[in-house]
Amino acid sequence: MFLRPILAAVLIALAGTAQADVTATDILGRQVTLPEPAHRIVLGEGRHLSVLGLMHDDPVALVAGWRLDKPLDPPTLDAYRAKFPAIDAIKSVGAGNRDLSVEAVIALQPDLVVLTVIDQNDPKMTVARQQLEAAGIPVAFVDFFSHPQENTVPSLRILGALTGADARADEFVKFYESHMNRIRERLADAPRPRVFMHVHAAPVNCCSTVGPGVFHDFVTTAGGQNIGAEAVQGVLGNVSLEYLIGADPDFYIATGGTHMAARGGLVLGPQVDAEDAQASFDKLIAAPGISSLRAVQDGHAAGVWHLFNDSPIHIVLIEYLAKTFHPDLFEDLDPMATMRQIEATFSPVEVPGSWWVTPQQ
């Protein structure tokens, strides 16, 4: 007669430990509910695998498919492949021009599709999202690109919640916010130098620059004033070399990557040799027009890796820019140490490279 109370207690205990639904509000304010943490994900941007890597020891095991419009850069992909050979089993569900094959996604039977706010304004992506949700596949939106300072922390928490990694996500958020708050506090009353961002920089066909969002946010947070926003209304636009010379910025900051090698531009990033990075930067700032800038002549020029632009590790870039713009305020700041700490504490892979460069003395 004692079995029934014992059985009832066991059933109550089991009910209490049953897996509850996982719910998060995505970056667009849409509630996303999963029956359990996602373990078969399709990434709208392949390079967001490294974001999952900040909160999972083996992010590859969670990803069934990815769109290759914005893939991992080759050296980082190689680093992941060396540690996680299963990465080659991840299926492509789309390539250029934000293409996404709904049929390919459905065939993978994912429990979550992660898109970005860039997809929000694409009519064909709206149709794709509606078709996926009609097929019973949850879709969550995140953003580490369009408005990084506003959306990085909530996007990390969204991914942490939906993949069962709340604690790891919170650990990185605390690290990120502590570094960010140090910068903001010291810059509270600091003057803001005028900064020109020359993105995808090459010695010819100058100059592509940035308006609101992305690098504009990085410059502003680091205590600078992005003068490109005075001439460019969108995220990216072009100004003439004559405009740049007339604008006479206090600082000239160029961005580059291995994708710029074929154009003779600034080459930086994973597995880039420091001497090669320096040579490409010296060639850039020796170009007609750019070489005449007061910022270049005064040594207030630098080159930075472009692909800091879609990852929470942009905190390293912000630290570098803050120290560049305000050396007296940030004498103790070591952006390279921050990068090493992220790799040692959070990332499952380490990729050496050249992340920034300045004129040779």
Side-chain angles (χ1 to χ4, degrees):
M1 64 179 174
F2 295 105
L3 292 177
R4 289 183 179 176
I6 293 173
L7 179 60
V10 170
L11 291 174
I12 291 171
L14 290 174
T17 58
Q19 179 69 54
D21 286 348
V22 174
T23 300
T25 301
D26 76 4
I27 209 68
L28 298 183
R30 304 163 62 255
Q31 184 169 294
V32 180
T33 300
L34 310 178
E36 61 182 5
H39 60 272
R40 192 167 177 79
I41 302 169
V42 168
L43 293 175
E45 294 194 1
R47 64 193 184 196
H48 284 170
L49 178 76
S50 61
V51 180
L52 288 177
L54 297 173
M55 57 190 78
H56 290 277
D57 293 333
D58 182 0
V60 172
L62 300 176
V63 180
W66 52 12
R67 184 170 53 185
L68 295 177
D69 177 30
K70 287 180 167 49
L72 289 172
D73 60 88
T76 302
L77 178 61
D78 289 343
Y80 270 96
R81 181 179 288 116
K83 187 169 184 178
F84 307 107
I87 198 169
D88 290 327
I90 298 176
K91 304 296 184 183
S92 172
V93 296
N97 197 26
R98 308 211 67 79
D99 176 49
L100 181 73
S101 169
V102 172
E103 294 79 6
V105 173
I106 293 175
L108 292 174
Q109 299 181 313
D111 47 20
L112 177 67
V113 173
V114 179
L115 299 179
T116 77
V117 294
I118 300 174
D119 296 310
Q120 172 195 9
N121 299 319
D122 187 330
K124 68 179 181 181
M125 285 305 303
T126 298
V127 173
R129 189 259 307 164
Q130 292 170 340
Q131 291 173 334
L132 291 172
E133 291 180 331
I137 300 172
V139 177
F141 286 84
V142 297
D143 176 38
F144 301 100
F145 178 82
S146 296
H147 301 287
Q149 306 314 110
E150 178 182 342
N151 291 337
T152 288
V153 166
S155 293
L156 285 166
R157 294 196 188 281
I158 291 163
L159 290 177
L162 293 178
T163 64
D166 302 79
R168 287 279 295 273
D170 189 57
E171 185 182 354
F172 186 83
V173 165
K174 289 178 180 177
F175 171 87
Y176 176 92
E177 289 188 322
S178 67
H179 284 252
M180 196 70 75
N181 288 338
R182 174 173 57 179
I183 292 170
R184 288 170 173 153
E185 289 167 3
R186 295 189 189 182
L187 290 173
D189 300 314
R192 292 184 171 270
R194 300 172 69 254
V195 180
F196 183 81
M197 291 294 301
H198 183 185
V199 296
H200 305 295
V204 296
N205 299 325
C206 183
C207 304
S208 182
T209 191
V210 292
V214 203
F215 284 101
H216 171 87
D217 288 7
F218 300 154
V219 168
T220 302
T221 304
Q225 177 187 348
N226 171 35
I227 64 173
E230 300 168 6
V232 175
Q233 301 302 311
V235 172
L236 187 68
N238 293 309
V239 298
S240 67
L241 180 59
E242 290 74 18
Y243 171 88
L244 171 56
I245 294 171
D248 188 28
D250 299 310
F251 286 86
Y252 168 84
I253 308 294
T255 77
T258 54
H259 66 289
M260 293 303 298
R263 294 169 51 187
L266 178 61
V267 179
L268 286 166
Q271 298 293 5
V272 174
D273 181 80
E275 291 184 1
D276 292 338
Q278 188 70 58
S280 69
F281 182 67
D282 291 343
K283 179 180 177 182
L284 172 68
I285 61 173
I290 295 177
S291 62
S292 69
L293 294 174
R294 175 174 56 89
V296 171
Q297 294 176 353
D298 290 348
H300 291 169
V304 298
W305 183 44
H306 188 86
L307 290 184
F308 277 118
N309 70 340
D310 197 10
S311 166
I313 67 167
H314 64 236
I315 182 60
V316 176
L317 172 61
I318 292 172
E319 286 190 345
Y320 177 79
L321 292 177
K323 187 164 186 169
T324 298
F325 301 155
H326 302 279
D328 294 341
L329 293 178
F330 295 102
E331 186 176 358
D332 61 329
L333 202 58
D334 187 346
M336 197 63 238
T338 302
M339 173 71 90
R340 294 193 187 102
Q341 187 176 359
I342 290 173
E343 290 186 325
T345 307
F346 299 102
S347 177
V349 300
E350 296 183 25
V351 188
S354 298
W355 314 111
W356 42 73
V357 64
T358 55
Q360 288 184 315
Q361 300 298 320

